[in-house]
Amino acid sequence: MSQDQQRVRPTGPGPGAARRGPTWVILAVVATALLVCCCSAVTGLVVSWSAGLFDGR
């Protein structure tokens, strides 16, 4: 191998940078899923309450 070939380094992000992107995507998906789940639960409780299901009569 010549000296020129030894000096060539790969360009682009390092191995740590490749992991940061998907980690943020996964966290965003999990946060969105939790938000949707909580909003759905609150909406269901409000609809049930307004329909009189919690009156106990």
Side-chain angles (χ1 to χ4, degrees), residues 2-57:
S2 70
Q3 288 181 350
D4 290 335
Q5 290 175 338
Q6 289 176 354
R7 288 186 202 158
V8 175
R9 294 186 183 184
T11 58
R19 283 193 221 160
R20 281 186 223 129
T23 301
W24 286 111
V25 171
I26 291 169
L27 288 176
V29 168
V30 169
T32 303
L34 286 173
L35 182 66
V36 168
C37 183
C38 291
C39 288
S40 297
V42 169
T43 302
L45 288 173
V46 169
V47 168
S48 298
W49 177 73
S50 66
L53 297 177
F54 294 123
D55 285 345
R57 292 189 235 170

